[in-house]
Amino acid sequence: MSDPVILERTQHFLSFLRHCQVLGMRVEQADRKGLTLRLPYSDKIVSDPETRIIHGGAITTLMDTTCGISTACALPELEICPTLDLRIDYMHPAEPDHDVFGFAECFRVTPTVIFTRGVAYQRDINEPIAHVVGAFMRMGKGVVTGERGASR
């Protein structure tokens, strides 16, 4: 079950990412343990119209976003944390006509870097499409204002 404060924080964070809005991503679950985002299947993420297989770039976008927003689950306040490094190991292609989920958790938080890990999956988290590890730089506390994309 989601933590209401963390859920609101992660939904707010996601709402400022225009490309995620276009792709229809949404927060499924968020608490201190981690974050799950949903990427709905659509023609926007198909790499080949004949096979209808999901493009790897859509999975990369999902996992970079999931790992990045998972920092909001581990920190007491929202901070600006851009991606330093992201590694994705693909296990198999995503199946057509099924949504993709991304789960990520922060496994180490230092004063300057946050380390994350996660998986992309469809029906079962134990049958991942891809594994991911990422590092995110801590830039300091950021308060998102009423203007989209603005922070101070």
Side-chain angles (χ1 to χ4, degrees):
M1 176 173 251
S2 291
D3 175 308
V5 173
I6 294 174
L7 180 63
E8 182 179 344
R9 185 186 305 165
T10 57
Q11 288 172 332
H12 186 68
F13 192 139
L14 186 63
S15 76
F16 281 86
L17 303 174
R18 181 69 181 130
H19 64 286
C20 295
Q21 293 171 3
V22 169
L23 293 174
M25 285 187 203
R26 62 183 179 265
V27 178
E28 289 289 304
Q29 182 275 331
D31 59 27
R32 291 266 173 233
K33 295 177 185 174
L35 170 74
T36 302
L37 295 182
R38 177 190 292 254
L39 173 63
Y41 185 86
S42 74
D43 289 338
K44 294 175 186 171
I45 62 172
V46 170
S47 68
D48 178 355
E50 287 186 28
T51 63
R52 300 192 42 82
I53 293 200
I54 296 172
H55 193 284
I59 305 297
T60 299
T61 299
L62 171 66
M63 295 315 299
D64 185 33
T65 304
T66 306
C67 288
I69 296 177
S70 76
T71 63
C73 298
L75 298 171
E77 295 181 58
L78 189 60
E79 292 185 27
I80 306 302
C81 299
T83 308
L84 282 173
D85 184 52
L86 190 74
R87 177 191 168 107
I88 300 177
D89 293 316
Y90 288 92
M91 306 289 116
H92 61 85
E95 294 180 33
D97 303 310
H98 296 282
D99 295 352
V100 180
F101 298 88
F103 170 78
E105 64 181 346
C106 298
F107 66 92
R108 180 159 164 74
V109 178
T110 74
T112 56
V113 179
I114 299 176
F115 299 90
T116 65
R117 61 184 164 214
V119 294
Y121 65 97
Q122 286 181 298
R123 293 187 182 102
D124 184 349
I125 197 168
N126 296 311
E127 296 177 17
I129 297 165
H131 286 261
V132 61
V133 292
F136 294 80
M137 180 185 297
R138 293 182 72 178
M139 300 290 291
K141 295 176 185 166
V143 178
V144 179
T145 67
E147 296 178 37
R148 292 256 184 242
S151 65
R152 50 181 168 114

